Amino acid sequence: MKNVWKLSNYLFDWQWKKWNQKVMLGSGILAVFCLIAMAFPTGNPQSYEYYPKSFQSYDMAVDGSLLPVFFGLGLILILVGLFVQIKGFSTNAKGIYTLFLLPMKRKEVYLSFLLSAGAAIAVYYLMWLILMVAAYFPVMAVYESKAAQEVFILAKDSIVTGLDVSQNNGLFLAFQRSAFLSAFFPASLWHVMPVIGGLCLIVTGIFFAGFYTQEIGIRIICSLGAIVGGGCIYLGDFIRSVRLALGHGVTNHAFGHNTTLGLVGVILAVVLQLYIIRRLEDRTDL
């Protein structure tokens, strides 16, 4: 296990320097600029002199921004980088032979790739989670300050000034109400499973495409099936929340429906991973 840990650290460091560092830096910079833009009202400030500006809670501001797009693009690039890394070692005879000539079992080498991939995704998620939590306080402070300076016309000869729009548990409510935050950073254990199950299947599909080199038909079917199926599970809650916000009819699933799909995704991912390891052990060309 010590060798697995060392090799996974090497693979993570290699991927970080080649790919992940640039992706995370670019994704983080775009997110920061987007958060800064959220704190400034649009339009001509003079036009709001006698009318209230539109005050948005944090969840509304996040969902109305490009943050979900930037997060999704960054995650896709991280996953593409994992595939490029695997294919780089697999197609480079010197690279793959060097790895499998190490004093380790083949399944241990494979597990090292798997651990480094999980670490890359976890670090990306952690960066975004810290950014979303840390940005709440300055963004909402700006909104509350601007709302307190406004003049709200409620009816004829009835105005309100110095409005207090501060919220108790506002950050927690944002993670519950936001389509983006609740789907990809769920605060409930029941909603964590679709995220985990979907990601596990997607990563498994990438590994299947990279490591499985025997039957081309099985490789295409299993890899595409795992990636598409994992993507549907992963995006299920987000798509449902967006449709609900847009006023479209959404079927209310029974409690645990998405959790069950996530659990099925994890089980399928484990089965496919074990199949890849078994076929990898049976290869005679390495």
Side-chain angles (χ1 to χ4, degrees):
M1 197 62 190
K2 184 178 179 181
N3 289 333
V4 172
W5 181 254
K6 287 183 177 179
L7 181 56
S8 64
N9 283 336
Y10 164 76
L11 293 171
F12 178 84
D13 185 63
W14 184 91
Q15 182 71 359
W16 175 262
K17 293 177 180 178
K18 292 282 186 178
W19 192 274
N20 291 354
Q21 186 180 34
K22 301 179 181 63
V23 172
M24 290 186 63
L25 182 62
S27 177
I29 291 174
L30 289 174
V32 169
F33 277 115
C34 188
L35 288 166
I36 293 174
M38 284 164 47
F40 292 92
T42 57
N44 181 11
Q46 297 299 324
S47 63
Y48 297 109
E49 185 174 358
Y50 300 107
Y51 298 94
K53 301 185 188 73
S54 175
F55 176 80
Q56 300 184 78
S57 57
Y58 191 59
D59 53 290
M60 296 170 63
V62 168
D63 288 346
S65 68
L66 292 176
L67 288 174
V69 176
F70 295 151
F71 172 81
L73 288 176
L75 182 59
I76 290 173
L77 289 176
I78 292 290
L79 295 173
V80 170
L82 295 177
F83 178 74
V84 171
Q85 181 189 43
I86 294 171
K87 288 300 295 181
F89 280 105
S90 298
T91 56
N92 185 344
K94 183 179 179 180
I96 197 66
Y97 276 110
T98 300
L99 288 176
F100 285 118
L101 285 175
L102 294 173
M104 301 169 61
K105 296 180 180 179
R106 290 181 179 179
K107 63 181 181 182
E108 292 177 336
V109 174
Y110 181 85
L111 182 60
S112 299
F113 274 93
L114 201 58
L115 288 176
S116 66
I121 296 174
V123 169
Y124 181 76
Y125 252 83
L126 181 61
M127 181 199 75
W128 269 85
L129 179 60
I130 293 174
L131 190 60
M132 291 294 96
V133 172
Y136 169 81
F137 302 98
V139 169
M140 293 310 297
V142 172
Y143 279 160
E144 292 171 9
S145 174
K146 291 184 179 299
Q149 300 171 11
E150 295 176 11
V151 176
F152 289 81
I153 302 177
L154 301 182
K156 186 177 181 180
D157 299 327
S158 177
I159 62 173
V160 175
T161 59
L163 188 66
D164 181 12
V165 294
S166 59
Q167 295 179 322
N168 293 325
N169 299 322
L171 182 60
F172 175 77
L173 291 174
F175 274 84
Q176 292 289 335
R177 295 171 177 172
S178 168
F180 168 59
L181 296 177
S182 64
F184 301 128
F185 301 92
S188 169
L189 178 62
W190 299 107
H191 292 91
V192 169
M193 283 307 300
V195 175
I196 295 176
L199 283 175
C200 285
L201 264 182
I202 293 172
V203 171
T204 298
I206 292 173
F207 272 61
F208 213 107
F211 279 104
Y212 192 86
T213 58
Q214 284 87 336
E215 299 87 349
I216 186 65
I218 294 179
R219 178 187 180 188
I220 294 175
I221 293 174
C222 289
S223 59
L224 285 180
I227 292 174
V228 173
C232 291
I233 295 174
Y234 182 70
L235 295 173
D237 278 343
F238 179 67
I239 294 174
R240 187 171 181 273
S241 298
V242 171
R243 292 190 62 196
L244 189 62
L246 293 176
H248 297 296
V250 178
T251 302
N252 291 321
H253 298 304
F255 181 73
H257 176 271
N258 292 335
T259 304
T260 302
L261 286 178
L263 185 59
V264 170
V266 172
I267 295 174
L268 286 176
V270 171
V271 171
L272 288 174
Q273 293 283 357
L274 293 175
Y275 180 71
I276 299 173
I277 292 174
R278 180 181 175 183
R279 296 308 302 269
L280 194 60
E281 293 282 357
D282 294 338
R283 287 180 62 176
T284 58
D285 60 328
L286 292 174

